[in-house]
């Protein structure tokens, strides 16, 4: 009799435990399940810039396609592009996170906000190479982007200084070091490039006010501080 009683008690406890698990699972919303599946299947890739340069308002026929720095502020804007396509992120992927990282050089100072804007026109990078702190550009080479030309000296921008949309992300600069641009705007840009790779022309970087800041470019000797884009 005691054996049968204990057997019934164990069976009842097992059934209650199973019912509790079912109720907990039923309480998980469908959206939570979807988010969990995305996280579990997520893959993160890190890309190096495929091209970058600086364009100069004060001397619109100059550029810096092969320079060591990307200069923003005081009439300078930087351009940077990454190969986001089938070779790096498969078509059909859903982007859930993105981080653009740039390293400010020793000439950068406090107080600037640098914003990233999606470029809407193809542009070029060639052999121009500014000297010194590169705040003054070098004579543009064929296919360099300049303040007037998206590709010197054949294709003009529709708007002087580059064709770009509103700010996708921004970062406050407070001296030398690594800075990250993040947020939904950046994710939306990359998602649009994954869905339509032919629309990927990268970002334009511009600084608030007249504060001059420079960032390490992809052409710098130390590739560990070159621009990177991390996509999940």
């Amino acid at each position: 009799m005691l054996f049968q009683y204990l057997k019934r008690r164990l069976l009842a406890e097992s059934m209650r435990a199973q019912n509790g698990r079912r109720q907990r699972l039923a309480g998980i919303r469908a959206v939570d399940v979807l988010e969990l599946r995305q996280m579990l299947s997520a893959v993160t890739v890190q890309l190096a810039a495929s091209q970058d340069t600086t364009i100069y308002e004060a001397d619109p026929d100059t550029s810096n396609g092969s320079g060591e720095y990307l200069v923003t502020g005081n009439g300078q804007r930087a351009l940077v592009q990454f190969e986001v396509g089938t070779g790096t992120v498969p078509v059909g992927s859903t982007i859930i996170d993105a981080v653009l990282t740039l390293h400010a050089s020793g000439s950068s100072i406090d107080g600037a906000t640098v914003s990233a804007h999606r470029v809407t026109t193809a542009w070029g990078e060639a052999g121009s190479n500014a000297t010194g702190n590169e705040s003054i550009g070098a004579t543009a080479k064929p296919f360099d982007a300049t303040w007037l030309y998206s590709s010197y000296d054949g294709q003009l921008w529709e708007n002087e200084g580059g064709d770009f949309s509103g700010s996708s992300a921004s970062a406050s600069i407070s001296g030398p070091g690594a800075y990250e641009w993040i947020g939904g705007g950046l994710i939306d840009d990359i998602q649009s490039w994954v869905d339509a790779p032919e629309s990927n022309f990268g970002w334009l970087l511009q600084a608030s006010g007249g504060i001059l800041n420079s960032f390490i470019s992809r052409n710098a000797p130390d590739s560990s501080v070159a621009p990177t884009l991390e996509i999940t």
Side-chain angles (χ1 to χ4, degrees):
M1 294 293 290
L2 179 61
F3 174 77
Q4 293 296 331
Y5 170 75
L6 292 175
K7 184 177 180 181
R8 287 195 297 270
R9 284 290 303 273
L10 288 173
L11 180 60
E13 291 294 334
S14 176
M15 292 178 65
R16 278 196 294 270
Q18 290 178 12
N19 288 335
R21 284 195 294 271
R22 292 193 189 100
Q23 290 172 358
R24 288 193 295 273
L25 289 173
I28 299 177
R29 297 177 301 167
V31 66
D32 294 330
V33 174
L34 178 60
E35 290 176 355
L36 180 59
R37 287 176 177 171
Q38 288 178 336
M39 292 176 65
L40 290 174
S41 62
V43 175
T44 297
V45 296
Q46 188 174 82
L47 306 178
S50 56
Q51 62 176 5
D52 57 19
T53 192
T54 301
I55 58 177
Y56 301 82
E57 183 179 20
D59 194 347
D61 286 332
T62 62
S63 188
N64 196 24
S66 295
E68 294 185 18
Y69 302 112
L70 302 171
V71 187
T72 64
N74 198 29
Q76 282 81 244
R77 294 171 178 171
L79 296 160
V80 61
Q81 184 175 353
F82 300 84
E83 289 295 339
V84 179
T86 55
T88 54
V89 182
V91 173
S93 298
T94 298
I95 308 304
I96 61 176
D97 193 24
V99 181
L100 170 65
T101 302
L102 299 176
H103 286 75
S105 73
S107 63
S108 295
I109 58 177
D110 296 358
T113 297
V114 177
S115 53
H117 303 254
R118 182 173 57 86
V119 180
T120 57
T121 299
W123 53 276
E125 175 208 69
S128 56
N129 193 350
T131 59
N133 65 4
E134 303 180 8
S135 61
I136 298 175
T139 300
K141 304 291 186 182
F143 308 114
D144 265 326
T146 70
W147 194 265
L148 299 178
Y149 290 91
S150 61
S151 182
Y152 187 81
D153 60 346
Q155 185 64 46
L156 290 164
W157 297 107
E158 291 185 15
N159 303 282
E160 294 183 7
D163 303 327
F164 54 92
S165 59
S167 175
S168 299
S170 61
S172 297
I173 310 303
S174 56
Y179 293 90
E180 295 182 344
W181 285 255
I182 59 175
L186 217 63
I187 294 171
D188 290 343
D189 291 346
I190 297 169
Q191 186 67 65
S192 71
W193 298 337
V194 170
D195 297 339
E198 69 279 5
S199 68
N200 174 17
F201 308 122
W203 289 289
L204 178 144
L205 303 171
Q206 65 175 354
S208 60
I211 298 175
L212 186 69
N213 282 275
S214 62
F215 301 90
I216 307 301
S217 82
R218 76 186 191 98
N219 301 302
D222 186 358
S223 60
S224 68
V225 291
T228 60
L229 177 61
E230 187 173 277
I231 303 171
T232 301

